[in-house]
Amino acid sequence: RRRGGGGGESGEAAAPRSSSSAAMASCPARSGGRGQQRRGAPSRTAAGGGVSRRRGRCPASWAVVLAVFSCYSLVNAFQWIQYSILSNVFAGFYGVSFTQIDWLSMVYMVAYVPLILPATWLLDARGLRLTALLGAGLNALGAWLKCGSLAPQRYPLTLAAQAVCAVAQVFILGLPSRIASVWFGPTEVSTACAVAVLGNQLGTAIGFLLPPVLVPNTPNDIDLMAHNISIMFYGTAIVSTLLFFLAGVVFEEKPKYPPSHSQAVLQTKPPEDYSYKQSIINLFRNIPFILLLISYGIMTGAFYSVSTLLNQMIVTHYEGEEVNAGRIGLTLVVAGMVGSIICGLWLDYTKTYKQTTLIVYILSFIGLLVFTFTLDLGYLIVVFVTGGVLGFFMTGYLPLGFEFAVEITYPESEGTSSGLLNASAQIFGIIFTLVQGKLTTDYSPRAGNIFLCAWIFVGIILTALIKSDLRRHNVNSGIMNLDVKAVPVDSPVEPESTTLKIQSAL
């Protein structure tokens, strides 16, 4: 039903991959991005062969790339939320308003929007490795700059440092779907994307849990507060620096042999056939993608807003419960991590992208309604439970949107489509955070949450209107006609004798 090679393979076709065979991605050779010369893998095929059996495999290479990316994505997400979950503490420390503390979160969203197009161009033109190193390096630089802001009058410096981390995020958020597509076969790609997104979610979870423990609220002892903040800042800087050097050592561009037919097609396309400008135009002419762009922005923007304002919502009804506010945030995100993995496995098994996305969207709406109307009951255990349910579906939606976008926009760049999705999320996140924050301050957390519920209901309608055209899946299944030639890397002198032909017929 879901064989990676498709029904049209002939000769010595690659065997179907099980979920444990992601290691079939072989030892990678460094190469450029989409704008550079595409080359196929050397193959040992019979006449009229298909995707070749791969030799000299490096079973751990896929896991190393995925693990390193997930770790520095984790640190970047931790730095995003570390101020917001302690909004009352940092507002007192720097002597600023809650709105100014909210901007330490929103700067991530503001920076993303104007920089996403240059960042996706760089990903296409220069490839995964350079983009990954920029993300890890800027993440470490921002962390060290924060170490210089350990005094009450240095809010501008901590804002500038957070802005550097925000720029790093631009080179991080768009990579999960690209890494999954480049390194994993069709039966593993959705799970791989979910695992890559998992790192960012885990960073948010740790950001909810650890800062309230490291930096308790000591308004009568500013020196002790500064000391506690320094432990958090210096620890983050050291970890992010180690991850930057680790990324430089282990991060590779792509496997030598394409893991799927769809990747073989893209890697063999001549560079003159690719235009970044035309790719953007094609995406904005794709009506299903536009609907997904808006609906993804609504859902993810709502998640950003809830995460940013969670501390304010909790302490409004449960005074002095900053630590439990962090634990509720942890519950929300950890439940979402479980949801992400389950959704990724489900997509790999069923390929029911639209149905799964719509169901998760509806359940997120119901979860937010329940969370909204039980928040002020006076029982923290109820907030833990409803927060977990909300997180399971709302956070679990994130990899669904990435993978659905790649399917309906293939063969356009995965980095470009996911980058635009994230840009939409940042725009909605800024708007939602400002409006919900104002409603929460002037009225109540319930008013702000009802505002989000109304928008998520709009997102349900938009998701229901999306036409499910699974282009990448159709290529991998042999439904689309292909006639692609790739020049083997190891035999540039005699390309004709070792030409790899991928042919699929209806």
Side-chain angles (χ1 to χ4, degrees), residues 84-118:
S84 295
I85 197 59
L86 293 172
S87 55
N88 58 328
V89 174
F90 278 105
F93 180 74
Y94 287 117
V96 297
S97 67
F98 279 105
T99 301
Q100 287 174 285
I101 297 300
D102 290 344
W103 273 106
L104 292 172
S105 170
M106 289 189 291
V107 68
Y108 264 57
M109 309 174 201
V110 173
Y112 195 91
V113 177
L115 294 177
I116 183 54
L117 291 181

Side-chain angles (χ1 to χ4, degrees), residues 65 67-77 128-129 131-137 139 168 171-172 175 179 199-200 240 243-244 247 251:
V65 172
V68 170
F69 169 78
S70 296
C71 285
Y72 73 75
S73 177
L74 179 154
V75 176
N76 185 259
L128 273 172
R129 179 177 167 80
T131 305
L133 290 177
L134 277 173
N139 199 41
F171 299 101
I172 294 173
L175 292 188
I179 292 174
N200 201 266
S240 59
L243 287 171
F244 168 66
F251 208 100

Side-chain angles (χ1 to χ4, degrees), residues 120-182:
T120 53
W121 172 85
L122 184 71
L123 176 61
D124 286 347
R126 300 298 181 185
L128 273 172
R129 179 177 167 80
L130 177 62
T131 305
L133 290 177
L134 277 173
L138 290 171
N139 199 41
L141 176 60
W144 282 109
L145 288 175
K146 288 181 184 181
C147 296
S149 66
L150 295 169
Q153 69 274 17
R154 296 180 184 174
Y155 172 81
L157 179 56
T158 208
L159 178 61
Q162 189 76 333
V164 174
C165 296
V167 175
Q169 176 210 214
V170 180
F171 299 101
I172 294 173
L173 285 188
L175 292 188
S177 57
R178 172 64 74 89
I179 292 174
S181 295
V182 168

